[in-house]
Amino acid sequence: MRPFTYQRVHTPAEAAAALLQQRDTKAIAGGTNLLDLMKLEIETPTHLVDVNGIGLDKMEATSDGGMRIGALVRNTDLAADPRVRREYPLLSRALLAGASGQLRNRATTAGNLLQRTRCPYFYDTDQPCNKRLPGSGCGALDGFSRSHAIVGHSKYCIATHPSDMAVAMRALDAVVETVHASGGTRSIPIADFHRLPGNTPHVETNLRTGEIITAVTLPRPVGGVQIYHKVRDRASYAFALVSVGAIIQRDGSGRVAVGGIAHKPWRVESAEALLPNGASAFTSKLLAGVHTTTQNAFKVPLVQRTIATVLHQAGELQR
Amino acid sequence: MLVIGGMSPFHVSVTFDVNGHAQTLTLDTRTTLLDALREYLHFNGAKKGCDQGQCGACTVLVNGRRMVSCLSLAVMHDGDRITTIEGLGTPEHMHPMQEAFVRHDGFQCGYCTPGQICSAVAVLEEIKAGIPSHVTADLGKAPQATAEELRERMSGNLCRCAAYSNIVDAISTLVEMPVRERS
């Protein structure tokens, strides 16, 4: 690990300002996807700002009947919150499908969104990776690509975003609240928070330098049957090959976001009108422009079958 | 007080409680909680398995919650209360979870065992606190400490000797029976 200086801050404004004081500064909260990368010298901050003492660890109702989740609420506490379990069960289910108990106890809401979009080539410093070292090429394109993206990717990067929580938040139309060191605040719809790789795969979110996440807000609950179905190589503690977060209403309408197939949670609102027609019709439009390698082509039928399973389960639960 | 090197911009003081005793260290900022416990305070129970947060061998309790100590910087734990396997029990006065692991052969080589036991103690507390898991069927009800629940909740602790079945048996013996099932 490269040497770094360390600073504790006590307010969100102080944290945002500290991020601009010197180059190569990073905020650290849970640290569960920063310290592993620092050990491998893939992340090399020269200054760390510890934001654990700035508050932002509360969940509260919003005036429009929704919910505001503080940036530092731990994944375990968010998943276990009685209101989340009752009114946003998709979010609880997604969180509980991710990582391990030890990691969920430490990992935060904002940190989960800011974990790196990644693949094994990103972690292997002997391999080319445009995300780790822009311009060095993509080792996965002609390499081991079984777990990689099938939509929205580019010739520069085919990594997938590993978060389960973000898939649920995409289906729930969450909004990411931020504050900048200048004092300005933004409300970024989660659809616009993460970026597709394009030719700058090292830039993964639209967060600006000196801007920190203060909260994630959820609109008022939409009801319906909420299901998170994660398909992975192990029964527990593994990233998704494909995951489906769905909210299905009694009339067959609904929302579906998919994880494990793109650089960000994948949702195509214009395809959702086809949900009452079944998984096949919906998936065709959801995956328009699909481009697979020989190793990850299995994900196309897997997405369709997983959505079919979820729609069937939803139908059973609504009978 | 243990001072490693002089005070430099890369050294920070931190005070936390380990197994009931206050400890003040001045550490290179890069020192993980795991390395502080093992290399500076000589609590060698928590193990450095992968040092990447994947194996769970370094699991300790921080303010009663289980965490992997390899993915946390020691300087981030100012004021925290840390419990390692040495704080749970001793060979003479074992924690009931340690006794259960011995009785049920919940290990073979023993390398992952301190992490397994710290994790297991916290798992039962998490169930008692009503925290659901991936396999909890109904999010509206309190989870029960079934074997399926224990297996899911312990998935962050790898055992390459594969003592998993006996680990579940050991933990199960400490599950409090519902009141109506007590004799």
Side-chain angles (χ1 to χ4, degrees):
Chain A
M1 212 186 302
R2 305 273 179 88
F4 57 86
T5 49
Y6 168 87
Q7 172 185 12
R8 298 176 188 126
V9 290
H10 303 96
T11 67
E14 198 187 343
L19 290 176
L20 286 184
Q21 272 168 13
Q22 65 181 76
R23 280 171 56 95
D24 300 323
T25 295
K26 284 255 178 199
I28 186 166
T32 52
N33 186 224
L34 180 57
L35 287 171
D36 59 334
L37 292 168
M38 287 170 63
K39 289 178 187 187
L40 295 167
E41 300 192 351
I42 294 168
E43 295 277 10
T44 53
T46 56
H47 185 64
L48 277 190
V49 178
D50 182 345
V51 297
N52 285 291
I54 66 173
L56 304 182
D57 56 352
K58 302 284 186 301
M59 291 169 269
E60 57 193 8
T62 58
S63 55
D64 64 353
M67 183 171 184
R68 180 179 292 108
I69 303 157
L72 289 169
V73 172
R74 309 286 160 173
N75 288 179
T76 295
D77 299 320
L78 182 55
D81 179 72
R83 186 177 173 201
V84 174
R85 287 155 73 174
R86 193 172 58 247
E87 298 183 346
Y88 306 98
L90 179 63
L91 182 56
S92 277
R93 286 296 183 195
L95 282 158
L96 295 170
S100 66
Q102 289 97 314
L103 294 176
R104 292 192 297 271
N105 278 345
R106 189 79 187 145
T108 64
T109 305
N112 191 313
L113 292 176
L114 292 172
Q115 66 180 302
R116 297 301 305 266
T117 306
R118 55 198 193 264
C119 92
Y121 291 88
F122 176 66
Y123 270 81
D124 185 345
T125 53
D126 292 330
Q127 299 286 337
C129 172
N130 287 320
K131 192 181 278 297
R132 174 166 36 75
L133 191 63
S136 63
C138 171
L141 272 180
D142 296 312
F144 184 76
S145 58
R146 178 173 173 271
S147 63
H148 291 68
I150 59 171
V151 278
H153 50 69
S154 71
K155 64 179 181 180
Y156 298 96
C157 180
I158 57 170
T160 53
H161 195 268
S163 172
D164 294 292
M165 181 194 82
V167 175
M169 286 182 170
R170 181 72 178 86
L172 289 164
D173 284 334
V175 175
V176 182
E177 311 286 349
T178 72
V179 65
H180 189 268
S182 65
T185 59
R186 287 203 291 166
S187 299
I188 308 169
I190 187 129
D192 302 328
F193 184 76
H194 294 106
R195 296 161 58 103
L196 292 177
N199 59 6
T200 54
H202 59 290
V203 185
E204 293 167 356
T205 73
N206 286 316
L207 208 61
R208 297 169 186 149
T209 307
E211 185 176 27
I212 65 163
I213 298 174
T214 51
V216 174
T217 52
L218 302 177
R220 55 184 306 157
V222 294
V225 171
Q226 303 194 5
I227 297 173
Y228 190 76
H229 193 109
K230 183 175 182 179
V231 182
R232 45 186 163 176
D233 286 330
R234 297 190 296 265
S236 184
Y237 199 19
F239 290 134
L241 292 168
V242 165
S243 68
V244 171
I247 304 171
I248 305 298
Q249 304 295 343
R250 206 162 260 290
D251 62 5
S253 67
R255 310 168 178 191
V256 172
V258 179
I261 63 167
H263 209 254
K264 58 192 277 188
W266 194 253
R267 181 177 170 201
V268 179
E269 276 89 339
S270 62
E272 289 169 357
L274 294 171
L275 276 171
N277 301 5
S280 176
F282 169 71
T283 307
S284 297
K285 191 154 184 188
L286 176 79
L287 298 184
V290 66
H291 185 79
T292 63
T293 66
T294 50
Q295 290 179 20
N296 69 14
F298 75 94
K299 286 192 176 185
V300 176
L302 187 59
V303 170
Q304 185 183 319
R305 288 171 192 164
T306 309
I307 290 171
T309 299
V310 166
L311 294 179
H312 177 74
Q313 284 175 348
E316 292 289 305
L317 289 167
Q318 279 163 337
R319 284 195 338 178
Chain B
M1 177 165 148
L2 182 62
V3 178
I4 307 300
M7 284 302 283
S8 81
F10 302 107
H11 287 79
V12 171
S13 283
V14 61
T15 299
F16 44 62
D17 176 297
V18 183
N19 301 330
H21 297 282
Q23 303 280 358
T24 297
L25 298 171
T26 298
L27 295 167
D28 183 316
T29 53
R30 292 173 287 186
T31 312
T32 61
L33 178 59
L34 175 63
D35 282 340
L37 292 170
R38 286 181 58 85
E39 308 300 331
Y40 294 89
L41 299 172
H42 307 295
F43 289 107
N44 295 324
K47 296 295 186 286
K48 188 182 278 192
C50 68
D51 207 25
Q52 285 281 312
Q54 296 169 5
C55 75
C58 65
T59 302
V60 300
L61 308 180
V62 178
N63 302 326
R65 302 182 81 166
R66 57 180 173 146
M67 290 173 190
V68 284
S69 57
C70 75
L71 282 192
S72 205
L73 295 171
V75 293
M76 293 168 69
H77 289 281
D78 200 56
D80 282 347
R81 181 171 50 83
I82 293 147
T83 307
T84 69
I85 189 73
E86 292 91 343
L88 285 180
T90 63
E92 294 75 31
H93 300 284
M94 286 197 285
H95 185 279
M97 190 65 79
Q98 291 174 311
E99 289 179 350
F101 268 64
V102 170
R103 202 175 323 117
H104 290 271
D105 247 351
F107 49 83
Q108 185 172 312
C109 81
Y111 189 81
C112 71
T113 309
Q116 297 276 2
I117 290 175
C118 284
S119 204
V121 168
V123 160
L124 295 187
E125 291 301 318
E126 288 167 11
I127 293 173
K128 208 182 285 180
I131 294 169
S133 87
H134 175 59
V135 299
T136 305
D138 186 345
L139 288 178
K141 290 183 180 158
Q144 303 297 311
T146 61
E148 184 190 20
E149 284 277 3
L150 298 179
R151 285 179 185 279
E152 160 62 23
R153 290 167 190 266
M154 291 296 291
S155 72
N157 291 84
L158 304 188
C159 171
R160 296 298 74 178
C161 307
Y164 297 115
S165 296
N166 291 356
I167 290 171
V168 170
D169 289 348
I171 302 171
S172 297
T173 62
L174 295 190
V175 174
E176 285 177 28
M177 305 270 259
V179 174
R180 63 178 184 283
E181 290 177 25
R182 282 189 194 141
S183 55

